[in-house]
Amino acid sequence: MNNTRVRVAITRAVSPRIAECELSYIARQPIDFARAAAQHDAYERLLASLGCEIVHVAAAPDMPDSVFVEDAAVVLDDVAIITRPGAQSRRGEVDSVADVLQRYRPLFRVAEPATLDGGDVLVIGQRLHIGVSQRTNVEAVEQLNAIPINFQDCLHLKSAATQIDDETLLLNPRWVDARQFPDLNCIAVDPAEPFGANALRLDDVVLFSASYPRTRKLLESRGYRVEVVDVSELEKAEAGLTCCSLVAEN
Ligand code: GLY
């Protein structure tokens, strides 16, 4: 019997219209599409080097934020939740993501009046922690029987906090109060790097943005294996490392 598990990372190509993306808490600046696409390629190569099979969702060149597939779904062990993004401009992204995810999981769709961005969902053990934000409302929290989390001054909960091992969150304490996670240890980002809390954990590896070297050093000093990738052009679209993939174990 073959018990080998396959880890799939679902991604989508960067839209040539990425410079028209939604922005909420950061100022618009020019985005170099070719550079963003090259950085996205490097991100995919890093995921592949760590054992992920890269599976592409159909490109959506007319949807500026479509590279950020994390917001369209939440992948759990036994089901994939298909979201209803809070930004009207992003609602059209979900069906093509669902088309891919249905190969791997039964689907559950969040229903109106709920709005939910996957970037607001932190899965800790078996529980969903959902940040209530300008994109995600309490109806989504209720439909998913989740734990509501309050945060401020950033787009998504996972801009403010991500899990880096079974017991530990990396977070920006100015944006989210660690006391909302009483069962976890918390490591604070370097105060000079407020956006540094968005890390992508794959087992014992932490994928981390090259933009936050102080926080990276902090993690390394704590013994984490950190793999760095430059996503600075994508970060201009108010995105982080987790936003660019959906990881499913199969
Ligand atoms: N640009 C990412 C978002 O606002 O959804």
Side-chain angles (χ1 to χ4, degrees), residues 21-24 65 68 71 90 117 135 155-156 237-239:
C21 66
E22 296 281 343
L23 290 177
S24 302
D65 281 299
F68 305 126
D71 292 317
R90 302 200 59 188
D117 278 15
R135 299 284 178 85
L155 177 58
H156 286 133
E238 204 163 13

Side-chain angles (χ1 to χ4, degrees), residues 117-185:
D117 278 15
D120 280 324
V121 184
L122 196 49
V123 182
I124 300 174
Q126 301 299 311
R127 292 305 308 266
L128 299 186
H129 295 66
I130 296 188
V132 179
S133 70
Q134 63 177 31
R135 299 284 178 85
T136 295
N137 62 17
V138 290
E139 285 83 355
V141 175
E142 286 163 7
Q143 284 183 23
L144 297 171
N145 191 25
I147 297 169
I149 300 293
N150 296 311
F151 68 99
Q152 61 194 9
D153 297 339
C154 61
L155 177 58
H156 286 133
L157 175 59
K158 276 187 278 193
S159 318
T162 52
Q163 193 171 11
I164 53 173
D165 67 31
D166 286 348
E167 291 92 31
T168 310
L169 288 182
L170 176 65
L171 60 72
N172 177 341
R174 292 186 183 164
W175 290 350
V176 63
D177 186 338
R179 288 174 295 187
Q180 295 178 97
F181 305 97
D183 300 331
L184 293 173
N185 305 318

Side-chain angles (χ1 to χ4, degrees), residues 103-119:
R103 297 180 210 156
Y104 304 104
R105 299 283 190 280
L107 304 181
F108 174 85
R109 285 182 186 264
V110 167
E112 194 175 357
T115 61
L116 178 72
D117 278 15

Side-chain angles (χ1 to χ4, degrees), residues 164-165 167-171 185-190 204 206 214-226:
I164 53 173
D165 67 31
E167 291 92 31
T168 310
L169 288 182
L170 176 65
L171 60 72
N185 305 318
C186 292
I187 296 177
V189 296
D190 186 286
D204 59 349
V206 177
R214 294 171 187 239
T215 304
R216 169 196 175 181
K217 281 208 178 78
L218 174 66
L219 294 176
E220 288 173 339
S221 74
R222 300 284 187 99
Y224 289 95
R225 177 182 159 198
V226 181

